[in-house]
Amino acid sequence: MVGYNPHKPGRPSHSYHSAFMANTRLALGVEVMPGNATAPAHSMPGIWAWLDALPAAERPAILRGDIAYGNESVLREAEARHQPYLTKLRLTKNVRRLVTRLLAHPDWEKAGQGWQGREDTLQLASWSRPRRVIVLRRQIKGDALIAAQDDPK
């Protein structure tokens, strides 16, 4: 794919899609794709092929993805494979509404390392069904608290 860099006109462009094992320096795979295939959705066929090639006993305990992987197509594929997953969610209006509702409840469970958690279900407009979500919170201390109080937002 011809790149868009004005300093290198006409040069080919590419993007790297990688999968890593969390908290290690182990790369499970890297795919080089055309420069116009930068979205995380382009990496999923390679991840699913890698996962499907593994025997059930050797599959990861959980797939973890960032915000871009919390969409219906990724979640549906993981559920079809009975693969546990954990992704972050964008702070959309419905997610903010859920967080606000949960913050009003006093009964939060300790989640370790100063975090507290609460579980609920949520169905976003782009999802086909309700899914389990976990909201985590922790007390802000020190300079971060002072900065947060100065911010009018």
Side-chain angles (χ1 to χ4, degrees):
M1 182 50 99
V2 175
Y4 57 87
N5 187 339
H7 299 290
K8 300 175 184 176
R11 293 235 183 122
S13 66
H14 55 274
S15 62
Y16 296 106
H17 292 278
S18 55
F20 290 90
M21 186 182 303
N23 298 327
T24 69
R25 294 182 178 170
L26 180 61
L28 300 175
V30 177
E31 288 185 283
V32 181
M33 312 270 303
N36 64 348
T38 59
H42 296 288
S43 67
M44 292 315 297
I47 292 173
W48 296 133
W50 171 79
L51 189 68
D52 292 340
L54 291 174
E58 294 179 15
R59 288 189 176 178
I62 192 165
L63 288 180
R64 187 178 82 182
D66 209 345
I67 290 174
Y69 295 94
N71 60 56
E72 174 69 19
S73 61
V74 173
L75 303 181
R76 186 180 55 240
E77 290 291 328
E79 291 163 353
R81 290 169 171 79
H82 303 290
Q83 176 63 48
Y85 60 85
L86 174 68
T87 66
K88 294 181 179 181
L89 294 177
R90 294 190 200 305
L91 283 176
T92 61
K93 182 173 66 171
N94 287 333
V95 173
R96 287 180 197 266
R97 189 178 302 138
L98 172 70
V99 171
T100 302
R101 191 177 77 230
L102 292 179
L103 287 174
H105 292 280
D107 52 336
W108 285 69
E109 296 182 34
K110 290 185 178 182
Q113 299 180 352
W115 289 89
Q116 295 177 324
R118 190 157 163 86
E119 178 182 336
D120 206 334
T121 59
L122 177 68
Q123 180 167 358
L124 296 178
S126 61
W127 289 357
S128 60
R129 64 180 192 82
R131 292 190 167 90
R132 177 180 172 226
V133 295
I134 297 173
V135 176
L136 295 174
R137 71 177 184 182
R138 68 177 170 168
Q139 185 176 8
I140 300 174
K141 299 178 182 177
D143 294 340
L145 179 60
I146 294 169
Q149 289 174 344
D150 292 341
D151 187 2
K153 293 182 181 179

